[in-house]
Amino acid sequence: MFGLMGKTLRVNLTEGTIREEGIPEEMARKFLGGRGLATKYLFDEVKPGVDPLGAKNKLIFMSGLLTGTPSPSAGRYSVVTKSPLTNIWSQSNSGGRWGVDLKYSGFDGIIFEGIAKDPVYLAIQDGKADLRDASHIWGKNVLEATGMIREELGEKFNVASIGKAGENLVRYAAVMNDLHRAAGRCGVGAVMGSKKVKAIAVRGRQKIKIADPEAFQKVSKKQFELLNESILGAGLTAYGTNLVLDMVNVCGGLPTRNWQTAVCPFAEEINGEALSEKVLVKQTGCFACPIECGRVSEIRRGPYVGKNGEGPEYETVGTFGAMCGISDLEAIAMAGYLCNDYGIDTISCGSTIAFTMECFEKGILKKEDAGGMEIGFGNAEAMLELVRKIAKRQGIGDLMAEGTRLMAQKLGHGSERFAMNVKGLELPAYDSRGAKITGLAFATANRGGDHITAYVQGPTFLASPFLVVEESEIGDPLQENPAEAKVVKEMEDALTVFDAAGCCKFMGMTLDAEEWSGIISALTGWKFGVEEFRKTGERIYNLERAFNVREGLTRADDTLPKRLLEDPLPEGPAAGHVNNLAVLLDPYYEFRNWDKTTGKPTAEKLRELGLDDIISQVCM
Ligand code: SF4
């Protein structure tokens, strides 16, 4: 097979067995790889209603179709499972080069099933895989665990690992690879911990076959040229993802003090420039990426001096900074380092801490509930202590490790109103009351409250070549515009292909469907046109939705926290605004050809996408 290695590993942890399986080419063409192929396995193999942390859930790692090839940013892999945070389909995606090394080891993916009796790690090298005892590594965090595994196997092994948070089943635990890169969202690290898998170490020199190397090189060269000329690329290179903080704040969309306002008064202290001045050491990037938006950083002053690592990314600054009311960039960087080492998603963690701070502000939680700790907005020391407590499930950290949805259900007293999650997944740092179309994207994203499923928030919106309506049809971001519902649908589909292909979504700001379908054609030898590109994304997206429908999800779940729907923003350019989803949801379902009452994909749509085999499970 071209592009893919054509093989997955099935690891039955209960029995301790490992089996190689082929990937049929017809299935590869329909679902490509990464998020697409992994979702196909999950849908077929995980029955509705299983416990996400039980033996019947599966944990699937899958590299993308282009991963490991010299196409720009083609270094990504996806982890797909049923989430313990949301109880629905979930995907988490990561860069670095672990996904590349997985493929070079001879396999596109790994399917974990069952639960191991004792902790194990999986080692794969050039087509051979074995499960090894990890009892001595269990209890270690990511940096130490990675070091110990490399000592055992050799420095050239690339390791994806969980830290203490995954072992302790923190519902938003991450899987970390390349030490600092995270498959962060939805608690995939907790599923790995529940299966008693500490890490996966990969190494190999297997070659990826390219159907038309000359054409591939030509298209790839053009893509690199386009990226090198792009303004967004230049901005990301200069300031990393924190580039957007000022832009979002100026639009009145930076959630501050747990979304009580969206204008951050101390943005200048935590923006891209401040990051460069205070903690930046150098920039870094993922495999084959000309942009290098990553930041290598070190704390140069204050109580955490000498601590270092990667980040902080925009979302880390937005959640631990603005949402928690903390202007101390060094403390924010420290929170990011802690999360990376414990293996925790910074978005859910920062957001859960901000929610907890508001519970204290409102008297719903008291000092006695936190072992005497003072917890309030702006308290950096408390924030860092809470990260540690969450990872270890100590004291109040045990409740916080459940995420904002379950916390609010337990605490009551109206806290559900400001538990800022959708379908259980904590929202990222963009206030959708300041950009209405973003509200629709948050409400409908298959994995829950998420910014990169459609990527239509704030300043990035107009930068995408995947826009499907005329610029003249895009109106005021503060008004609900039904035509823009089509943009959300098309962006969701297009970016699904990015995850299946194993490419970074930042490339979607510059390169269009024609360029991507050209490179897929050159790689695989398929005549993969723009129409097939779009249909493939739509097929995968509908399959994910079908998984969620089978789990009982309905239109009523495509909603936002009450604060966004009912509490007008108090200040800034979006003052007085709330989200009005009713205006946008009907057109969205129409564009998708989903039933407007139930939110289910129609039989007609599934048939059109070649998903006839699942109609009886979805459209009853
Ligand atoms: S743009 Fe950033 S996240 Fe994307 S591949 Fe490049 S370095 Fe990685």
Side-chain angles (χ1 to χ4, degrees), residues 73 76 181 284-286 289 291-294 504 506-507:
S73 84
R76 304 188 76 89
R181 289 270 155 188
T284 183
C286 308
C289 177
I291 290 178
E292 297 196 326
C293 76
C504 175
F506 287 139
M507 307 298 138

